[in-house]
Amino acid sequence: MKPSGDVIAGLAPRHRQLLALFLLNPNIAVHRDTLIDLLWNGRPTKSAPRNLTTYIAQVRRRLSPRDPSVSPLHTVEGGYLLSVPSGSVDAAVFNQLVAQGRIARDNGDYHNAARIFESALNLWRDDALLGMRHVDELAAWAERLDEDRRAVTEDLFDVRLTLGHHHEIVGGLAQWARRHPLRERPHRQLMLALHRSGRTHDASASYQRLRRTLVDCLGTEPSPDTQAIHQRILTGDDPSSALARLHAGHRPLQESDHRS
């Protein structure tokens, strides 16, 4: 879409891939050879340079149908650059909001953190770069973007647990944990939400399901953090120290934080 909100019509798959590569590198010159290598997954055809020139011209016309010469897609020495207004790339806006939300959370401003995380997640409509993942570079970007989305979703669950919203989020957490059976973080969060909702038996059962899944699929036991939360739940404690570790959930995933 254009910054005005108008849909850019008539984009063929190669046009979408080309635009995605530029938008993931906004306002940065990308060399022709790099674009050819990326679009053709390192195995360009003999016609690739000529085809790229055609695609560039076609994208310019799609971006500025009345006058392609004023298109934001510029030719620079050795390559091309897409001029992008600040705040017009949703992935960049998402990253900015996430950073703001994590600062608010780390400062103890949990209500504001929840609001900002929700705003960031509301930018998403579906998985990233659908229909473009057969281009290796875009597939790698898509996985990074999707993982960022998963992490922020779990950041929001953490904040809402801190705010005492365990009753409200237990259903969403259960669904999220089912979607990601090998991610320990949402299972820890679900155990806490169930325990705080007076469903300690269900919390323990959730741990046992996670343990069986990890043993069956990966041949490994749950991480020490997960085991510690389970033990505190069994003794009837509110695992506040374990919850404090969850508040640091924006740290890079450890080996024990398995991904689905």
Side-chain angles (χ1 to χ4, degrees):
M1 299 174 65
K2 297 178 182 178
S4 63
D6 296 329
V7 174
I8 303 171
L11 290 175
R14 279 298 195 204
H15 300 154
R16 290 168 54 82
Q17 295 159 14
L18 190 60
L19 268 178
L21 289 170
F22 283 124
L23 288 169
L24 292 168
N25 298 277
N27 302 310
I28 297 173
V30 184
H31 198 279
R32 278 180 56 87
D33 293 343
T34 300
L35 286 172
I36 291 169
D37 186 63
L38 294 178
L39 281 175
W40 279 269
N41 288 330
R43 299 179 297 276
T45 61
K46 289 184 179 179
S47 62
R50 181 175 67 254
N51 289 342
L52 177 63
T53 300
T54 300
Y55 299 147
I56 291 289
Q58 291 170 339
V59 169
R60 279 192 174 123
R61 285 197 294 273
R62 299 298 188 279
L63 294 176
S64 301
R66 294 183 179 179
D67 186 0
S69 67
V70 298
S71 168
L73 181 54
H74 310 289
T75 300
V76 297
E77 185 176 356
Y80 306 95
L81 180 149
L82 183 65
S83 180
V84 177
S86 176
S88 65
V89 179
D90 50 7
V93 174
F94 172 78
N95 288 332
Q96 292 166 4
L97 288 171
V98 170
Q100 293 170 14
R102 286 176 174 163
I103 290 171
R105 177 201 57 196
D106 294 345
N107 289 334
D109 187 0
Y110 299 116
H111 287 284
N112 199 34
R115 180 186 61 79
I116 296 172
F117 286 147
E118 287 170 353
S119 296
L121 292 169
N122 285 339
L123 292 172
W124 287 77
R125 293 180 296 277
D126 212 323
D127 291 339
L129 302 174
L130 284 177
M132 291 184 269
R133 297 190 181 208
H134 55 281
V135 175
D136 293 344
E137 178 72 7
L138 294 179
W141 270 100
E143 177 53 33
R144 288 195 290 273
L145 290 168
D146 285 342
E147 175 55 31
D148 288 344
R149 181 190 190 183
R150 291 189 286 266
V152 175
T153 298
E154 292 161 13
D155 285 346
L156 178 57
F157 282 133
D158 269 352
V159 168
R160 296 200 65 193
L161 276 171
T162 304
L163 291 170
H165 298 171
H166 36 275
H167 288 292
E168 296 92 333
I169 67 172
V170 69
L173 261 174
Q175 183 180 36
W176 186 257
R178 283 195 299 270
R179 285 179 58 189
H180 304 285
L182 300 179
R183 290 177 73 88
E184 290 196 45
R185 187 182 178 196
H187 286 83
R188 293 194 295 261
Q189 294 169 325
L190 177 59
M191 290 160 58
L192 286 168
L194 288 167
H195 176 61
R196 290 183 164 191
S197 299
R199 299 169 58 185
T200 299
H201 176 76
D202 291 338
S204 185
S206 177
Y207 172 81
Q208 296 301 335
R209 284 193 298 272
L210 170 65
R211 181 181 179 278
R212 286 195 300 270
T213 300
L214 294 178
V215 170
D216 291 346
C217 295
L218 302 175
T220 185
E221 294 284 338
S223 69
D225 279 354
T226 305
Q227 293 184 45
I229 289 176
H230 182 232
Q231 285 302 313
R232 288 186 174 90
I233 287 173
L234 290 178
T235 59
D237 295 338
D238 187 324
S240 56
S241 61
L243 182 60
R245 282 198 294 274
L246 287 179
H247 294 167
H250 62 293
R251 59 176 171 76
L253 291 173
Q254 305 299 314
E255 290 184 4
S256 59
D257 292 322
H258 310 289
R259 302 183 186 183
S260 59

